[in-house]
Amino acid sequence: MKFIKILLNYITGYVNIFVEGYFIERFINICTSKNIYLWNIKREKSTILYANLSISDFRKLKYIAKKTGCIFKIKSKKGLPFIFDRYKKRKIFGLFLLVVFGGILFSSQFVWNIEVTGTEKINPNEIIQQLEDDGLKVGQYKKKIDINQVINDVRLKRSDIAWLGIDIKGTNAIVEIVEATPKPVLVDYNDYCNIVADKEGIITKISAQNGTPLVKPGDIVRKGDILIGGWMASKYTPQEHVHSIGDIEARVWYTVKDTQNMVQTEKVETGSTETKYSIDFNKFKINLYKVVTNFKNYDRIVETEKVKLFSNFYLPIELVKTTNKEYTEQEKVYTKNELKDKMVKELEGKLKVEITPQEGTEVNILNEQVNEKQENSSLEVEVIYEVLEKIGIEQKI
């Protein structure tokens, strides 16, 4: 957030500069490419520029000005360092400065941020909550944290984590996670087993490398039916148990349905928004705006960003940005076809989540069927997918 950069620059000090030259646009572009942050930019004619920038970035301007043929100078100096310098003879400012640095030094002994990396399927907030339960939480004294114990406790409680590492840098606890890959339950190759249906369908193809096929193409099977038996026999050899191996392909049907009214109340954004800020000092909030909103109906979006001085040195301060988006409620009357199209799209999304092929295989959607039924002011829609996929799981005898 730009607001954080401006706040930090106020703490560390910044300058307002005057730039003059025929290549002002090029001057700005080079500053952007060099990650030199300019704010409160004001143009005067086409050759004069006023802008704010940090003290550290100001030292980089000499080369850019020479390259673009511009001249620059400081118009004013702003921020805490210049205020302290101006009033350095006054004891109260010296005391205030001492308190600020003392507070920063004291806060460096605590963890003020937990950063979780490496998650894809696991919600990082779940991990943060788990860590808090097991001894690592925001605001905790670093020397009281037993990292090895926390790691062991989390690993014992969560089977979806293959590896967990915690590294505390500054006031930031970096938690690195390697998620465990769920593996299907397999029967040991030395054990006898059947291959049974894990879902209902019509067999289209069956190939047994080991074991006895008990179904053929065209057969209807239900979940739990034996597809390949874990035994083999012939005219000349007695029956013996084996570990069944084979591929079975079937047509499988997936169904989902829903009912909705032809008349629905929907949100329509008016385009009016309110943006309000607040500062949170370790859960003590200071509102920089009036709490009561002017909107009757609105959606609230809250964004938080923690303040840090360096890459891994967080402070117990959060800047909170609250955005209220006004909306009105309007009744929308759908035609039968409009509502049907809307519902089919929603149901198709649900079906694509429900279809889970076996690992390493693909699903082929052969056909889609849509059924509808209207009763008074409501419409029921059913979507059916006919899918060609591999079925069958091992079951120990």
Side-chain angles (χ1 to χ4, degrees), residues 137-193:
K137 57 186 176 181
V138 172
Q140 189 166 3
Y141 187 49
K142 291 192 292 187
K143 291 184 179 179
K144 287 189 175 181
I145 301 172
D146 188 339
I147 292 178
N148 291 330
Q149 186 64 47
V150 172
I151 291 173
N152 290 334
D153 289 345
V154 175
R155 287 287 309 279
L156 287 172
K157 293 176 182 177
R158 298 194 66 110
S159 59
D160 53 355
I161 295 177
W163 183 85
L164 173 69
I166 300 174
D167 187 13
I168 298 179
K169 295 182 178 180
T171 60
N172 188 29
I174 302 172
V175 181
E176 187 177 354
I177 285 176
V178 176
E179 295 181 347
T181 303
K183 297 181 179 179
V185 179
L186 298 177
V187 178
D188 188 278
Y189 187 75
N190 295 317
D191 292 330
Y192 306 136
C193 74

Side-chain angles (χ1 to χ4, degrees), residues 187-195 210 229-231 240-244 394-397:
V187 178
D188 188 278
Y189 187 75
N190 295 317
D191 292 330
Y192 306 136
C193 74
N194 300 316
I195 294 181
N210 206 25
W231 62 84
E240 61 177 5
H241 284 96
V242 296
H243 183 104
S244 295
E394 295 178 349
Q395 185 180 76
K396 188 175 179 180
I397 297 175

Side-chain angles (χ1 to χ4, degrees), residues 17-38 49 51 53-73:
I17 61 169
F18 165 88
V19 184
E20 185 175 14
Y22 291 105
F23 302 101
I24 292 294
E25 290 293 340
R26 190 180 177 205
F27 180 90
I28 296 173
N29 291 336
I30 294 176
C31 286
T32 302
S33 67
K34 299 288 185 182
N35 293 321
I36 296 175
Y37 177 57
L38 302 175
L49 169 76
L53 78 162
S54 67
I55 298 172
S56 59
D57 285 339
F58 176 76
R59 299 189 181 102
K60 304 174 185 177
L61 293 186
K62 187 175 181 180
Y63 165 76
I64 298 173
K66 184 177 180 181
K67 191 172 183 178
T68 57
C70 296
I71 60 172
F72 68 96
K73 62 181 180 180

Side-chain angles (χ1 to χ4, degrees), residues 347-361:
L347 295 174
E348 285 177 338
K350 292 180 180 179
L351 276 174
K352 287 174 182 176
V353 173
E354 183 180 334
I355 297 172
T356 53
Q358 292 183 2
E359 185 177 357
T361 66

Side-chain angles (χ1 to χ4, degrees), residues 312-326:
N312 284 303
F313 195 96
Y314 286 82
L315 297 176
I317 302 171
E318 280 188 343
L319 298 179
V320 183
K321 178 183 176 182
T322 303
T323 304
N324 296 329
K325 292 186 176 183
E326 185 184 34

Side-chain angles (χ1 to χ4, degrees), residues 210-396:
N210 206 25
T212 302
L214 300 179
V215 294
K216 60 184 182 300
D219 287 351
I220 298 173
V221 297
R222 299 186 180 279
K223 187 174 181 180
D225 288 351
I226 300 176
L227 307 178
I228 300 178
W231 62 84
M232 296 184 72
S234 68
K235 289 182 180 180
Y236 310 105
T237 59
Q239 177 177 299
E240 61 177 5
H241 284 96
V242 296
H243 183 104
S244 295
I245 300 173
D247 291 320
I248 305 100
E249 195 175 68
R251 287 157 54 204
V252 180
W253 284 262
Y254 293 86
T255 302
V256 64
K257 63 182 177 180
D258 189 21
T259 303
Q260 294 186 16
N261 289 321
M262 308 289 284
V263 180
Q264 298 186 11
T265 301
E266 298 185 347
K267 294 180 180 180
V268 179
E269 291 188 358
T270 65
S272 298
T273 61
E274 294 175 334
T275 302
K276 303 178 181 184
Y277 293 93
S278 61
I279 301 175
D280 193 336
F281 292 90
N282 195 24
K283 299 184 180 180
F284 176 75
K285 182 175 285 189
I286 299 176
N287 292 318
L288 305 179
Y289 61 92
K290 64 176 184 178
V291 177
V292 180
T293 179
N294 295 320
F295 299 149
K296 180 180 178 181
N297 298 313
Y298 60 93
D299 288 321
R300 172 165 291 178
I301 301 169
V302 178
E303 301 172 84
T304 62
E305 187 161 344
K306 294 191 175 183
V307 177
K308 59 181 178 179
L309 295 180
F310 315 106
S311 61
N312 284 303
F313 195 96
Y314 286 82
L315 297 176
I317 302 171
E318 280 188 343
L319 298 179
V320 183
K321 178 183 176 182
T322 303
T323 304
N324 296 329
K325 292 186 176 183
E326 185 184 34
Y327 67 83
T328 58
E329 292 184 339
Q330 297 181 5
E331 279 194 350
K332 181 170 181 179
V333 181
Y334 284 91
T335 65
K336 180 180 177 181
N337 288 336
E338 286 175 341
L339 185 57
K340 177 183 173 182
D341 291 343
K342 171 178 174 288
M343 294 175 68
V344 167
K345 187 176 180 180
E346 293 172 354
L347 295 174
E348 285 177 338
K350 292 180 180 179
L351 276 174
K352 287 174 182 176
V353 173
E354 183 180 334
I355 297 172
T356 53
Q358 292 183 2
E359 185 177 357
T361 66
E362 295 183 356
V363 165
N364 182 14
I365 299 174
L366 301 175
N367 186 34
E368 177 182 1
Q369 180 181 341
V370 177
N371 300 322
E372 61 186 74
K373 180 181 178 183
Q374 184 176 358
E375 290 186 1
N376 299 325
S377 61
S378 65
L379 180 68
E380 181 183 86
V381 175
E382 179 184 48
V383 178
I384 303 170
Y385 273 4
E386 181 183 350
V387 174
L388 185 66
E389 62 177 302
K390 288 188 176 181
I391 67 170
I393 56 174
E394 295 178 349
Q395 185 180 76
K396 188 175 179 180

Side-chain angles (χ1 to χ4, degrees), residues 75-127:
K75 292 290 292 181
S76 60
K77 301 177 181 179
K78 300 181 180 180
L80 291 180
F82 300 115
I83 293 174
F84 293 149
D85 184 65
R86 191 182 309 160
Y87 298 102
K88 59 185 177 183
K89 294 182 180 180
R90 299 187 180 182
K91 294 181 179 179
I92 189 169
F93 283 95
L95 180 61
F96 178 73
L97 184 63
L98 185 64
V99 170
V100 169
F101 282 103
I104 292 175
L105 183 63
F106 176 74
S107 67
S108 67
Q109 305 303 309
F110 298 83
V111 171
W112 296 116
N113 186 66
I114 298 176
E115 179 183 342
V116 179
T117 63
T119 57
E120 291 183 3
K121 297 179 181 178
I122 303 174
N123 187 336
N125 291 329
E126 287 184 23
I127 301 300

